[in-house]
Each structure stands twice: as structure tokens, then as C-alpha cells.
Amino acid sequence: MFQDYELIKNQRISSTSYIFKIQPSTFGSRAYKSRLDGQKLIEVSKKGIWSVQIKHPLLTIARLYTPIPTILRDPYAHALGERADYHSLNPQDNQLRFLIRNHPEGELSRFLSRLQPGARVELRGPYQEFEFPDDLEEVVFLAGGTGISPALQMAHALLEHGSDAPMPKMTILWANRFSEDCKGGSIEPPPRPDGLLQQAWRSVFGSNAPLPANDPVPSLEDSPIVRELSALKMRHPENFWISYFADDQQRFITDRDVQARLQRSGTRGYQRASDRDAGKKLIMVSGPDGFVDHFAGPKVWKEGKELQGNLGGVLRKMQIPGWTVWKL
């Protein structure tokens, strides 16, 4: 059953991207029934990566969107000696945030990008897309475009849990079509040739002429997503790393970039993820279908369910045993 929410803020952060913030509806009779199960949202956010389904009010279209963590304090609070508190859900007001990209051919994303504060939004869920294994030691996360949303969820859940449990190590490689989408993030320099495969993701987005390099110094002018990633890096310098890639800088994720992040473990070869279990060392791949297919091969549908399918693409050719690959 879809629940009524209302838009609080639709913040444009680039020419095509928005941060979309909603809360339970306050409109008369709709306010009484308008709320997802807050306790369930908290539970799924601790267990793994989750999403909700948002529908178009006029068309028979509904899509899954992954909430990004709601910040309850300034992401640079640590610089003042304070803890930067992050949650995938604010239990006090049930607010949710999403990173939305306005795709020219996307009916729902174009509709959402045009909404103004106070507009009605219908959603249902949550849906658990992936559960963290108990013995997780290390994650390398390949994110394309809005695929950064589940990466942020995972980083906050694993690193900001506030308990004494050991923290895994996590590396994110984030690729965007335009450098404006990761403004403030220092674009990764090309890796040195080392005899590995020369394949690079030329991007399902396409490429354009290079732009001037971004200033690596954190600033309020930076993308809000970059500021949050920078805050995670500052808080967890021994456990968290982030690298930025942009088509318009002619900088694409290559097999050498991935290999450089895996060398720390000293393992080689791959193992394919089952649909129930994942290993201690994970390679997560999230983004547009073309991005996922290029790096890990397509997922498959069987008996009405979407399954992981065989490992393919760049990661299959790299052969890195000991790592489990999971496609989102």
C-alpha cells in the first residue's frame, strides 16, 4: 500500500541532479495514515541496503529509489571536536532523502524534478536489497551516477554505527558523466600502465571535452554528496577511501583502478555471489544497467525474480579470487 508523503525540499545540486527530501504528509485526513513503519526502516537500514518504491500519480509507473542518509548534524562537526551524527532515517520525523537524476527519457524522474515544496509524493516499502554479512572485512564499491546512494547507505551503516564492533575497510570509486556532479571531489589521476587489461568504462553516459580540475579543498560550494563523503573520510581515515571519476575529464574507471584498490588484500581471483550469501571481501557494483553490465555482467530474471546471474565484464577478466561480487 502506498503512503502519502510531502516534499520538503527539492535542492538542485547540478544541471541534472537534485536532492529530494520528503516527510509524512501533513494534509488533513491523509496525515493520519501517512507514514511508513519507522521502526522497520531503522531495522532495514542497520541490516543492509534498502529502498522504497515511488510512483507517478498519473501514469502506471513506479520505480525503486535508494534513500541517502539523513544528516542530523553538520558533516564537518568533527572539525570542532563533535561527533557527526548520520542516520539513514531520522526516527523523530520520518524524513527521507533521495538523490534524483533528471533523465530526459525518464517519466518519473522528470516528474519528480519539477515538484515544488508541499507537493504530494506516494511511496511504499521498505525493500531490503542486500544484507551485510556478519564477518565483512572489506568493501570495494563501484558506483556510477546515482549508484552512489547505496554506497553512502553502506558506508554510514558500517562506519557510523557507534558500537565497539570492528569496522570494515571501504573504498568507493564514483564515476559521473559530468564533473559538476561531484564538484569539490578531486578527479583521480590516470593509473600508470602495468600490463593489466586496458579496458575502461567509456560510460553509458557518453563523454565531453575536459573541464578545469576541481579544487580539492572542501568548501560549502562543493556538492553536498562530496561534502558528506569528505566528512566520512575525515572521520575514518584508516577505514574509508573515496576516488572520483568524470567523463568530461576523460577519466574513466579502468581495471587498473580496481586492481589498485584490491592489492591491499593480497588476494587474486574471484568467486561469484550466490543470491543468499556474500563473503568477507565484497566488490559491490551499482549504477545504470550499462555500468553494471560492463563491470560485472547483467543480472537475470528467472521465475519472476531478479537474480545475480553469472559474473561477466571487466571483473570476470581480472580474476581476483577471495572476493565476492554483488550487483545492485
Side-chain angles (χ1 to χ4, degrees):
M1 178 178 179
F2 284 92
Q3 304 293 331
D4 288 336
Y5 275 62
E6 64 179 281
L7 179 64
I8 304 172
K9 188 176 183 180
N10 199 358
Q11 178 187 4
R12 185 169 185 167
I13 61 174
S14 75
S15 60
T16 60
S17 299
Y18 303 77
I19 290 182
F20 194 79
K21 188 174 183 180
I22 61 175
Q23 69 179 8
S25 177
T26 57
F27 297 128
S29 61
R30 294 210 302 266
Y32 177 76
K33 61 177 182 178
S34 171
R35 184 176 291 264
L36 299 180
D37 185 335
Q39 185 58 41
K40 187 175 182 180
L41 292 179
I42 293 173
E43 290 174 1
V44 296
S45 68
K46 291 179 178 179
K47 290 173 60 178
I49 296 170
W50 59 284
S51 62
V52 297
Q53 193 174 55
I54 300 178
K55 78 171 185 176
H56 195 298
L58 304 177
L59 305 174
T60 55
I61 297 174
R63 297 283 185 269
L64 288 173
Y65 285 90
T66 303
I68 56 177
T70 297
I71 300 177
L72 302 186
R73 286 192 191 177
D74 186 283
Y76 292 102
H78 61 278
L80 303 176
E82 301 178 22
R83 177 178 172 79
D85 289 332
Y86 300 99
H87 300 273
S88 291
L89 171 73
N90 182 345
Q92 296 177 340
D93 52 26
N94 216 349
Q95 293 180 355
L96 299 172
R97 290 195 312 159
F98 305 88
L99 177 61
I100 305 289
R101 174 153 291 156
N102 183 1
H103 293 281
E105 298 180 359
E107 291 284 354
L108 184 54
S109 66
R110 286 193 290 117
F111 168 77
L112 294 175
S113 69
R114 294 194 298 263
L115 292 181
Q116 299 298 315
R120 179 186 182 189
V121 180
E122 295 178 87
L123 58 86
R124 65 183 176 187
Y127 301 96
Q128 193 87 64
E129 295 194 49
F130 178 79
E131 291 191 18
F132 305 139
D134 293 333
D135 55 355
L136 184 59
E137 296 177 355
E138 188 166 0
V139 180
V140 173
F141 204 118
L142 310 183
T146 55
I148 192 64
S149 296
L152 270 171
Q153 266 198 16
M154 192 171 194
H156 285 287
L158 295 177
L159 303 178
E160 294 288 311
H161 48 65
S163 72
D164 294 329
M167 289 185 185
K169 297 182 184 297
M170 182 171 182
T171 300
I172 298 175
L173 284 72
W174 184 24
N176 282 285
R177 180 179 181 183
F178 300 113
S179 51
E180 66 167 340
D181 290 314
C182 55
K183 184 179 179 182
S186 182
I187 302 300
E188 189 76 7
R192 293 176 297 179
D194 56 7
L196 293 175
L197 298 173
Q198 297 298 313
Q199 291 184 347
W201 174 48
R202 295 299 298 180
S203 171
V204 293
F205 303 133
S207 61
N208 292 277
L211 295 177
N214 286 319
D215 183 356
V217 178
S219 162
L220 291 178
E221 298 300 319
D222 295 348
S223 159
I225 303 299
V226 170
R227 292 203 304 269
E228 294 171 28
L229 290 166
S230 297
L232 280 168
K233 175 59 181 171
M234 290 183 183
R235 278 192 49 75
H236 306 286
E238 301 299 321
N239 293 81
F240 183 76
W241 297 267
I242 171 70
S243 296
Y244 300 93
F245 302 81
D247 291 5
D248 61 7
Q249 297 281 345
Q250 299 297 304
R251 187 60 178 97
F252 313 98
I253 300 176
T254 68
D255 57 323
R256 296 193 304 277
D257 294 308
V258 178
Q259 183 67 69
R261 275 66 178 184
L262 303 181
Q263 285 176 345
R264 179 169 55 239
S265 324
T267 58
R268 293 188 171 277
Y270 81 93
Q271 68 187 72
R272 180 171 61 88
S274 72
D275 291 320
R276 293 183 178 180
D277 302 308
K280 295 182 179 181
K281 298 179 183 295
L282 285 177
I283 300 175
M284 308 289 291
V285 187
S286 176
D289 288 344
F291 181 92
V292 175
D293 293 355
H294 174 79
F295 281 108
K299 292 198 279 187
V300 298
W301 284 92
K302 185 176 181 180
E303 299 178 353
K305 295 181 179 181
E306 189 176 40
L307 306 177
Q308 288 289 295
N310 292 324
L311 182 66
V314 171
L315 294 174
R316 172 72 184 192
K317 295 178 180 179
M318 286 179 62
Q319 306 251 330
I320 31 175
W323 289 83
T324 299
V325 177
W326 193 273
K327 312 167 197 177
L328 291 171

